[in-house]
Amino acid sequence: MNKPEIIPQDDVAGPRARHKTTQVMVGNVAVGGGAPIVVQSMTNTDTADVDGTIAQVAALSRAGSEMVRITVDRDEAAAAVPHIRDGLRKRGITTPLIGDFHYIGHKLLADYPACAEALDKYRINPGNVGFKNKRDTQFADIIEIANKNNKAVRIGANWGSLDQELLTKLMDENTASANPRDARAVTREAMVQSALLSAARAQELGMPKNKMILSAKVSAVQDLIAVYQTLASRSDYAIHLGLTEAGMGSKGIVASSAALGILLQDGIGDTIRISLTPEPGGDRTLEVQVAQELLQTMGFRTFVPLVAACPGCGRTTSTTFQELARSIQDFIREEMPGWKTQYPGVETLNVAVMGCIVNGPGESKHANIGISLPGTGEAPAAPVFVDGKKFRTLRGPSIAADFKALVIDYIDQRYGAGSKAPETTAAE
């Protein structure tokens, strides 16, 4: 029998080095140039609804979004932008605002200079910034306003609104080639060229690289991976990642995580957005949570304490561990905005909620604080482990509440002022 191949540890040690990009300041947030990967989100309110948009930006910011994009599609929306900015500042929220412009961005920015000043970044789509002979002048108008206001821009190509003249040109050249490529490959090339040619034109107009972020969004996972790998190989602009129109629920989460996970592992990406379709009446902040969890599970950043939980099997017919894991996880996420200042470092906490004796004690020992709940047929006792050692055993109907109290005490003692980790003993 052949011996199994032993993979050297260095070959599986973690993600590759980040793709070297130029750093861009978007408001008070650094993007690229080795800065932490930034989480971005987008509102789905009518921007003309000032109070509604302020409330949603505030919710997204509270959830951890570090930049928020808002639609600026008409006069009423552009007029509302400075009021939205001011309302957020009154709440103490300084999260950078990005204006999403299509078709008439040049006109709105010119007609509403307070909007141009209030935004921290303008998103330009090279596929619809203008058509035919108006494209260059309208693109130049936006770049000129951005330069005047010292604002960053994202030049974001999208295959749903790709520059058709460029695509037709490349398709014709491909047809005449001795070795024509697949049409999807030509479309990806058009995406990359659209972004890079627009960026080069912006530089000709006086915009430096440290004011530009590029993106090339598609909705198919393999195409997204290919187009961003090409874009990264040809430039050192900061890069925004996102799978456009990812979809709803688990489909959108899986598709986005698969595509962005591969690119991030390859060192590509400086800012990300998970473009989930929310359930009717659903929570918009879910896209922020998914983006954070993707970056944290891959080891790029830490945002909230991790809760490891047993998946359940025939040994765990009780739902106690499921209810407790959910309760702890929800409690942690709700409290994190306040904990960030009250308990510095709490985001590195690991909690384990396990359902039986098979893996329960071992997983609990690996966590900062963990509990191994009794499985089917086991004695009604739940050992709690703190920093790898037995702390105490919980019994009775209040096991869940007692453990939650222990987690809160642990956080306060370890991360609070004058922090001191609780003593670990084998006390019953």
Side-chain angles (χ1 to χ4, degrees):
M1 180 181 296
N2 294 328
K3 291 183 178 180
E5 179 184 2
I6 304 299
I7 301 175
Q9 185 61 34
D10 287 348
D11 292 343
V12 292
R16 297 180 187 176
R18 293 273 298 281
H19 177 68
K20 186 176 181 181
T21 57
T22 303
Q23 188 167 102
V24 180
M25 291 302 300
V26 180
N28 56 2
V29 175
V31 176
I37 299 166
V38 174
V39 173
Q40 180 176 314
S41 61
M42 185 174 183
T43 59
N44 62 354
T45 57
D46 179 355
T47 305
D49 175 6
V50 173
D51 291 340
T53 303
I54 288 173
Q56 191 170 91
V57 172
L60 291 165
S61 177
R62 179 179 171 82
S65 182
E66 293 158 310
M67 296 193 293
V68 178
R69 183 157 48 112
I70 60 177
T71 298
V72 187
D73 59 345
R74 65 193 196 281
D75 293 312
E76 294 82 358
V81 169
H83 301 293
I84 293 167
R85 187 271 315 272
D86 293 344
L88 290 167
R89 298 298 182 267
K90 287 178 182 178
R91 294 190 182 195
I93 298 169
T94 59
T95 304
L97 291 177
I98 303 162
D100 194 56
F101 293 100
H102 300 276
Y103 305 107
I104 58 170
H106 63 292
K107 183 177 186 301
L108 294 174
L109 287 167
D111 291 349
Y112 296 89
C115 169
E117 185 276 328
L119 294 167
D120 295 286
K121 184 174 74 170
Y122 312 154
R123 188 277 173 122
I124 309 171
N125 184 337
N128 60 33
V129 69
F131 300 98
K132 297 188 181 298
N133 61 333
K134 293 183 178 180
R135 179 187 297 109
D136 289 345
T137 57
Q138 292 176 184
F139 178 81
D141 289 344
I142 296 177
I143 297 300
E144 181 181 348
I145 294 170
N147 285 336
K148 178 182 176 182
N149 287 279
N150 195 30
K151 303 297 182 179
V153 300
R154 170 159 73 92
I155 296 173
N158 189 303
W159 76 349
S161 50
L162 186 55
D163 180 344
Q164 291 302 301
E165 287 188 28
L166 175 61
L167 179 60
T168 299
K169 172 179 175 291
L170 293 180
M171 286 291 187
D172 289 344
E173 290 175 356
N174 185 62
T175 300
S177 171
N179 298 295
R181 295 183 293 169
D182 177 83
R184 293 178 78 90
V186 178
T187 302
R188 293 195 297 268
E189 176 64 22
M191 293 276 295
V192 173
Q193 287 198 25
S194 178
L196 292 178
L197 289 170
S198 296
R201 177 57 181 152
Q203 284 189 254
E204 291 174 359
L205 294 166
M207 176 163 281
K209 276 190 175 182
N210 67 359
K211 288 294 181 182
M212 283 187 278
I213 298 171
L214 303 189
S215 67
K217 290 186 171 184
V218 303
S219 57
V221 169
Q222 294 296 343
D223 287 302
L224 190 87
I225 294 167
V227 78
Y228 271 108
Q229 287 174 336
T230 303
L231 181 62
S233 71
R234 294 188 192 174
S235 73
D236 61 355
Y237 294 99
I239 289 178
H240 170 74
L241 294 184
L243 183 76
T244 192
E245 288 91 39
M248 184 179 288
S250 61
K251 184 270 178 185
I253 293 172
V254 170
S256 291
S257 298
L260 271 59
I262 290 171
L263 291 167
L264 291 168
Q265 184 71 13
D266 279 346
I268 299 169
D270 301 297
T271 171
I272 69 170
R273 182 194 171 204
I274 305 295
S275 300
L276 293 181
T277 303
E279 301 285 348
D283 187 351
R284 188 69 170 179
T285 64
L286 178 60
E287 67 176 54
V288 179
Q289 181 179 334
V290 174
Q292 288 183 330
E293 290 175 351
L294 174 61
L295 292 175
Q296 185 156 342
T297 55
M298 292 190 70
F300 290 105
R301 294 189 62 184
T302 53
F303 297 97
V304 296
L306 291 176
V307 180
C310 169
C313 68
R315 299 177 62 92
T316 56
T317 53
S318 168
T319 60
T320 301
F321 77 94
Q322 298 167 331
E323 294 160 358
L324 180 56
R326 184 180 205 175
S327 174
I328 293 290
Q329 192 159 281
D330 290 348
F331 173 73
I332 285 172
R333 189 162 284 279
E334 289 168 5
E335 295 297 321
M336 269 306 293
W339 284 355
K340 285 179 181 178
T341 54
Q342 187 178 1
Y343 300 117
V346 70
E347 65 274 7
T348 63
L349 175 72
N350 287 305
V351 180
V353 179
M354 305 304 293
C356 79
I357 200 171
V358 174
N359 292 318
E363 287 286 352
S364 296
K365 288 176 183 177
H366 286 304
N368 296 115
I369 180 168
I371 187 170
S372 179
L373 292 160
T376 306
E378 294 178 18
V384 175
F385 297 83
V386 171
D387 293 327
K389 297 180 181 179
K390 177 80 171 290
F391 182 60
R392 69 178 54 163
T393 299
L394 302 179
R395 291 186 173 86
S398 62
I399 285 177
D402 292 343
F403 180 69
K404 187 173 181 179
L406 289 176
V407 172
I408 296 169
D409 287 346
Y410 182 92
I411 290 171
D412 188 57
Q413 292 182 50
R414 173 150 186 176
Y415 301 101
S419 59
K420 177 184 176 183
E423 294 182 8
T424 53
T425 68
E428 295 290 321

